[in-house]
Amino acid sequence: MTHIVIVGAGISGVTTAYTLSRLGYQVTVVDRHLYPAMETSFANGGQLSASNAEVWNSSGTLLKGIKWMLQKDAPLLLNPKPSWHKYSWLGEFVASIPRYRRNTIETTRLAIEARKYLFEMAEREQIDFDLQRRGILHIYHDKASFAAAGRTNSLLVAGGLERHAVSPEEIKTIEPTLQGQYYGGYFTASDATGDIHKFTRGLAQACHKYDVRFLHGMDVQAVEMTEQGVRLLLQATLDDKLSTTHADAGQELVADALVVCAGVGSRHIARMVGDRINVYPVKGYSITVHLDDEASVQGAPWVSLLDESAKIVTSRLGAGRFRVAGTAEFNGFNRDIRADRIEPLIAWTRRNFAIGTSRVVPWAGLRPMMPDMMPRVGRGRHARVFYNTGHGHLGWTLSGATASMIASVIARDCPRH
Ligand SMILES: Cc1cc2nc3c(=O)[nH]c(=O)nc-3n(C[C@H](O)[C@H](O)[C@H](O)COP(=O)(O)OP(=O)(O)OC[C@H]3O[C@@H](n4cnc5c(N)ncnc54)[C@H](O)[C@@H]3O)c2cc1C
């Protein structure tokens, strides 16, 4: 049986494992964490949003970014300290501006297609992940940002998305709990939200039915190409009573092919096999507001929102939880949860909704972002190394489609025997 090893048990790795195992491959997933979905797929914004498919490579975003760098509580923060990784990435980001239109349309198409796969997986495996199919509403405070949204909208529509402008009165009807004054909005009825962590854990559980093996608590230290395929050197990350692995036990894992789904770790693994995958960790934050009293349950929105001025997204995760996420921070692999970045998310929540914030769980995660904002899905330099990574701000949205894409490439280039 053809054996494929996948590095990474986030949403990209688990959807890839599930898809390949159903095609009849023998699959092993390796992750340094003890459970699936413990890194960026832990507590993100929750949006399954074709309506957020616009890539950031535009002169408008660049100008806004420069302005934001001078503002203390802005949604963008760049640590100017020199780093080759950061500045090479920013250079390639700027060089991708000419592909803004093409990449936005392509991402929209991919996001629309992805829903089909994701919903099919959830239905087939009966995964409860607090799915809400009530649409996503983008809100704008002034005429200029609403006009800019109109220009973006034409690209999303060209990608096949049904999305229309709404008036301030319609905003109130679509989401009655939302307070404040808005110039206008755009509504996408077909978009949805759900808990990425619950979904990934549920799908990983379902993978056991298809004999997928999970090696948790194992760090990939080296990858070597062999005549037959690949050899990975693994090192256990923990040595405690609950672990099934032991820290002194270096292990070898041999397989016919490798799929790198390692999120922000993908650049490092690609380098081990001579590929360049220039993923940069773009930090974001979320808060999960626990709706502990009846007034808060009633006061929190069910329709998902994107506030363009603050670059904040929201998702209702069942009756009792409300997720608010945002911020793009260029500060390397720093994972600190900074109080001064969490505070604006809480303030935004209190400004817009009549809900209590006495129990708020903060989180920070690193978006695995490519400079052109397009995921890398395909073969590497070696015939037996494949990539499904670099999904940036849209990994939850795109994962269903990219898992299917990489499975097709592998079925062609590394057929089952
Ligand atoms: C604040 C925030 C809000 C977001 N909101 C949304 C949203 O609303 N909608 C949306 O679509 N997307 C959103 N995203 C993006 C989305 O969460 C990510 O794109 C997605 O989770 C990435 O999944 P992944 O599987 O590629 O990476 P991860 O989930 O990070 O998984 C990669 C795994 O690889 C493992 N790994 C790496 N290197 C090694 C190694 N050497 N050895 C062993 N294991 C290794 C890691 O341990 C990790 O578990 C958001 C992100 C953030 C930060």
Side-chain angles (χ1 to χ4, degrees), residues 331-407:
N331 194 15
F333 285 85
N334 179 299
R335 294 167 197 268
D336 295 351
I337 302 178
R338 286 175 47 168
D340 62 337
R341 308 303 287 168
I342 293 296
E343 204 282 324
L345 297 178
I346 299 176
W348 183 91
T349 304
R350 295 189 66 84
R351 214 166 37 245
N352 287 289
F353 302 99
I355 63 178
T357 50
S358 63
R359 194 155 65 98
V360 168
V361 181
W363 173 79
L366 302 176
R367 301 176 184 91
M369 200 160 288
M370 295 298 295
D372 64 357
M373 311 231 2
M374 301 301 284
R376 285 298 173 271
V377 186
R379 219 195 80 176
R381 178 195 294 243
H382 292 281
R384 294 306 177 92
V385 177
F386 301 88
Y387 295 91
N388 178 17
T389 191
H391 298 69
H393 74 308
L394 273 190
W396 175 216
T397 302
L398 299 178
S399 56
T402 60
S404 163
M405 282 161 68
I406 197 62

Side-chain angles (χ1 to χ4, degrees), residues 56 64-81 86-87 89-90 280-285 326-332 334 336 338 340-341 344 367:
W56 301 351
K64 220 189 264 177
I66 292 166
K67 213 171 76 192
W68 275 338
M69 277 169 64
L70 308 170
Q71 187 187 320
K72 202 172 149 280
D73 61 346
L76 179 87
L77 192 89
L78 188 137
N79 179 346
K81 208 170 128 200
K86 184 166 54 200
Y87 286 106
W89 189 95
L90 287 171
Y280 190 83
V282 180
K283 186 153 78 163
Y285 293 85
T327 310
E329 200 173 295
F330 290 79
N331 194 15
N334 179 299
D336 295 351
R338 286 175 47 168
D340 62 337
R341 308 303 287 168
R367 301 176 184 91

Side-chain angles (χ1 to χ4, degrees), residues 7-13 30-33 38-41 44-49 196 218-220 261-265 269 282-286 313 325-326 363 365-368 389 391-398:
V7 182
I11 187 69
S12 311
V30 182
D31 199 294
R32 56 164 73 112
H33 288 288
M38 296 305 285
E39 269 194 24
T40 318
S41 305
N44 76 356
Q47 290 193 329
L48 294 163
S49 49
I196 184 172
M218 284 295 199
D219 191 78
V220 176
C261 301
V264 294
I269 293 183
V282 180
K283 186 153 78 163
Y285 293 85
S286 77
V313 304
W363 173 79
L366 302 176
R367 301 176 184 91
T389 191
H391 298 69
H393 74 308
L394 273 190
W396 175 216
T397 302
L398 299 178

Side-chain angles (χ1 to χ4, degrees), residues 1-7 13-14 16-30 207-215 230 252-259 384 386 407 410-411 414-417:
M1 215 171 170
T2 309
H3 180 205
I4 312 274
V5 60
I6 296 172
V7 182
V14 173
T16 302
Y18 179 79
T19 310
L20 285 173
S21 64
R22 281 178 46 84
L23 289 177
Y25 287 93
Q26 181 195 337
V27 178
T28 302
V29 181
V30 182
C207 278
H208 291 297
K209 276 202 310 219
Y210 304 99
D211 293 328
V212 175
R213 188 161 69 118
F214 284 85
L215 288 178
V230 292
E252 275 192 5
L253 179 64
V254 172
D256 295 297
L258 164 70
V259 192
R384 294 306 177 92
F386 301 88
I410 292 170
C414 184
R416 281 183 302 127
H417 54 74

Side-chain angles (χ1 to χ4, degrees), residues 242-277:
L242 288 176
S243 303
T244 49
T245 54
H246 298 286
D248 57 352
Q251 256 187 42
E252 275 192 5
L253 179 64
V254 172
D256 295 297
L258 164 70
V259 192
V260 180
C261 301
V264 294
S266 298
R267 182 175 182 260
H268 181 62
I269 293 183
R271 239 189 347 217
M272 294 176 189
V273 292
D275 284 322
R276 184 168 182 274
I277 303 287

